[in-house]
Amino acid sequence: MKELTVTPLDLFMNDVVDKNPNEPEFHQAVREVSETVIPYIEENPKYKKANILQRIIEPERTIIFRVPWMDDQGNVHVNRGYRVQFSSTLGPYKGGLRFHPSVNLGVIKFLGFEQVFKNALTTLPLGGAKGGSNFDPKGRSENEIMRFCQSFMTALHLHISKHTDVPAGDIGVGPREIGYLFGQFKRIHNEFSGILTGKRPNWGGSFIRLESTGYGTVYFIQEMLAEVNDSFKGKNVVVSGSGNVAQFAMEKASVLGGKVIGFSDSTGHIHVPNGMSFDMIEEVKFLKNEKRGTISELAEKYSDTWYYEGERVWNIPDKVDIAIPCATENELDENDARKLIEKGVRCVGEGANMPTTTEAMHLFQSENILFAPGKAANAGGVATSGFEMAQNSARITWDHETVDKKLQTIMKNIHRQCVTYGNSQKSGHINYVRGANLAGFVKVADSMIEQGLV
Ligand code: NDP
């Protein structure tokens, strides 16, 4: 009979699951990093001696608070708010706020953990954090959203400051919510400071922040393609989601010559066999950011455009060269990966955080498909938040072009770091998952050792 071997990764993960029960997304994120980091630690005993991995997976501080608010009919509601201040090793805690009914402690911890490595890759002085609430903004009036944001900030303001923790947006938190949160902080503290990023440029926001995650993801994919002497030109591109990240990924992929033939929202997907026009991309922005409708409306408005209710976008019948998941975690599973491989996919770049399941990721890697994990590919958003903090501190504004150039330089830098740590001498293939995890880990781990046992 074959003997079952328990690997150091299994032992480590058993302990993680015991200590953090009912947090599957957090376990998944830790496992994915540990798969590459544990063998590296075995070769570099200084990290083992300092027990770095056990320390890095433990948030420095977890804050859970009550958020009471009143709807337009006078009914009282209570939601739960979170801020997980994961790591301040490299700078003030930094990471978005998510308002979505699926939010719980495990989801926020997974996002905060990923953020630590992502922020390290940006090369900017940023620690890692994440927060949010299980509040569902869908179907709520402007006044209800404002009251919720004000109540959320009334609890959160005790724990953040421009030197301590600077939140931003994420799913369900865009410039509108950032405005209400910022207004409430300013009122409580009588202070106009860069306490949040993702602000509108009129009142302290950075140009390109809104575009930066989607643009940055496409810039990263552009670098991956250039590494193998290829480009977006003439490629069939599929993007999931139609929110902030998806909108600007579609836009930049089209600008670079890609043909975006599919996208989605939480209700279904749209197939555009001839590719999205810039007019249609603008319509998606209006629909999602102003009208707050569903994408089914677009199929009624545009000819040769088909809506499939309840179906993932990875199902579209055409050939797919590049897939850019930009919606949410675990939205692309092993079956979807198999379909994409059958359709000829050559490159997958994660605009969302952990949208690909572990099994799907392993399948892409085993087929030598270029695969960029979110912590590298979507780091352009937080990098531009870092630029917003720099502009706020100096009380200056950089123009569009300056910020876009800096964003491109950062994405090139992140790509370089991934190549340095992920290049296999044997196969010549670049493992971007290994590259991103190791480059982020080494920077944070070395800094932790230098700062002592805190
Ligand atoms: P938004 O709320 O703006 O958009 C999310 C989009 O995803 C919406 O179109 C939503 O549909 C869709 N969606 C949600 N669940 C599903 C699903 N199961 N299947 C298909 N579509 C779905 O969020 P963001 O664009 O800001 O964030 C998207 C992802 O990018 C998240 O993983 C986030 O953590 C990550 N990210 C965001 C950054 C940012 O700067 N905003 C930075 C780095 C990462 P509907 O409109 O119907 O709700």
Side-chain angles (χ1 to χ4, degrees):
M1 213 171 81
K2 207 175 154 202
E3 231 178 84
L4 282 178
T5 46
V6 181
T7 64
L9 175 66
D10 294 330
L11 284 174
F12 176 72
M13 284 311 302
N14 288 343
D15 193 41
V16 171
V17 173
D18 278 351
K19 281 190 189 141
N20 304 274
N22 306 316
E23 296 177 359
E25 294 85 1
F26 181 58
H27 305 158
Q28 183 182 341
V30 172
R31 173 176 274 276
E32 193 241 280
V33 167
S34 306
E35 272 176 5
T36 39
V37 162
I38 288 179
Y40 186 77
I41 290 177
E42 294 294 329
E43 291 163 15
N44 294 275
K46 69 171 178 176
Y47 300 123
K48 202 171 193 169
K49 185 162 173 254
N51 215 0
I52 287 291
L53 192 56
Q54 277 79 358
R55 286 163 61 195
I56 227 171
I57 62 160
E58 196 65 39
E60 287 177 14
R61 192 170 299 100
T62 298
I63 302 149
I64 302 181
F65 49 92
R66 179 171 70 188
V67 190
W69 58 283
M70 191 175 277
D71 68 22
D72 291 343
Q73 287 70 43
N75 302 307
V76 172
H77 298 259
V78 182
N79 283 93
R80 193 167 285 176
Y82 301 90
R83 187 69 180 164
V84 176
Q85 297 178 331
F86 225 106
S87 169
S88 61
T89 301
L90 300 182
Y93 304 110
K94 184 88 196 89
L97 299 172
R98 176 178 289 191
F99 291 168
H100 193 271
S102 64
V103 163
N104 58 41
L105 183 59
V107 167
I108 299 298
K109 277 170 68 179
F110 121 65
L111 290 164
F113 181 70
E114 289 280 294
Q115 197 81 46
V116 175
F117 295 83
K118 181 188 309 193
N119 293 5
L121 290 171
T122 66
T123 68
L124 301 174
L126 302 169
K130 201 81 187 188
S133 172
N134 58 351
F135 172 70
D136 187 358
K138 274 202 182 126
R140 290 292 167 197
S141 70
E142 279 291 322
N143 281 334
E144 288 172 333
I145 299 278
M146 182 173 72
R147 283 197 292 275
F148 179 81
C149 289
Q150 289 175 341
S151 181
F152 186 89
M153 183 52 87
T154 302
L156 182 68
H157 84 99
L158 296 166
H159 310 285
I160 62 176
S161 87
K162 65 183 176 186
H163 299 302
T164 311
D165 184 353
V166 183
D170 191 81
I171 292 179
V173 180
R176 173 181 64 169
E177 290 74 19
I178 292 290
Y180 295 143
L181 292 163
F182 179 78
Q184 184 71 352
F185 184 93
K186 182 160 63 74
R187 185 177 194 192
I188 294 171
H189 287 259
N190 190 21
E191 171 189 304
F192 193 113
S193 62
I195 182 59
L196 290 159
T197 58
K199 304 185 289 296
R200 297 255 190 220
N202 279 351
W203 38 272
S206 174
F207 288 119
I208 307 282
R209 174 61 189 91
L210 195 63
E211 296 89 338
S212 58
T213 309
Y215 279 12
T217 302
V218 170
Y219 290 148
F220 191 93
I221 296 172
Q222 192 182 19
E223 289 300 309
M224 289 166 93
L225 292 170
E227 192 74 25
V228 293
N229 297 317
D230 209 341
S231 76
F232 267 94
K233 258 209 156 62
K235 299 289 185 312
N236 279 358
V237 180
V238 169
V239 175
S240 66
S242 47
N244 173 261
V245 180
Q247 291 165 14
F248 293 100
M250 290 170 192
E251 183 179 289
K252 190 54 83 177
S254 304
V255 166
L256 295 179
K259 189 165 101 172
V260 180
I261 57 168
F263 63 98
S264 61
D265 69 6
S266 58
T267 69
H269 79 260
I270 291 264
H271 179 208
V272 197
N274 295 323
M276 295 179 81
S277 61
F278 287 105
D279 175 67
M280 191 190 276
I281 295 172
E282 286 310 305
E283 195 64 32
V284 171
K285 290 182 194 168
F286 174 74
L287 180 76
K288 286 296 174 185
N289 307 343
E290 309 296 329
K291 200 169 169 206
R292 299 184 191 269
T294 68
I295 54 172
S296 59
E297 293 178 36
L298 294 168
E300 289 155 26
K301 188 163 177 178
Y302 290 88
S303 59
D304 212 9
T305 298
W306 314 97
Y307 173 67
Y308 296 89
E309 191 176 349
E311 269 191 37
R312 289 182 177 186
V313 71
W314 322 120
N315 280 330
I316 63 167
D318 301 347
K319 176 175 179 285
V320 175
D321 299 303
I322 300 169
I324 317 184
C326 296
T328 192
E329 57 269 15
N330 293 327
E331 50 151 325
L332 196 170
D333 64 18
E334 205 175 350
N335 270 337
D336 302 318
R338 211 161 275 127
K339 280 184 214 153
L340 285 170
I341 291 165
E342 279 164 18
K343 291 179 215 293
V345 77
R346 282 184 254 172
C347 178
V348 180
E350 293 188 330
N353 285 312
M354 212 170 71
T356 313
T357 65
T358 308
E359 296 75 21
M361 180 183 79
H362 287 158
L363 194 55
F364 286 135
Q365 288 176 319
S366 70
E367 295 287 324
N368 273 354
I369 285 158
L370 296 172
F371 178 86
K375 62 173 75 73
N378 72 34
V382 73
T384 310
S385 278
F387 300 154
E388 188 170 327
M389 288 164 74
Q391 291 168 81
N392 289 167
S393 297
R395 300 202 183 286
I396 53 169
T397 304
W398 298 334
D399 61 23
H400 273 93
E401 206 190 359
T402 304
V403 182
D404 198 19
K405 274 215 177 103
K406 285 181 188 288
L407 172 63
Q408 290 181 48
T409 305
I410 292 252
M411 298 318 295
K412 273 183 203 280
N413 260 331
I414 298 174
H415 180 263
R416 239 340 85 207
Q417 293 175 67
C418 291
V419 172
T420 304
Y421 281 92
N423 204 346
S424 159
Q425 304 292 353
K426 253 198 255 155
S427 67
H429 183 73
I430 298 160
N431 182 337
Y432 284 90
V433 174
R434 179 182 152 82
N437 287 339
L438 283 188
F441 173 79
V442 167
K443 185 166 182 194
V444 179
D446 286 350
S447 308
M448 283 172 78
I449 292 172
E450 283 156 11
Q451 290 175 21
L453 197 49
V454 291

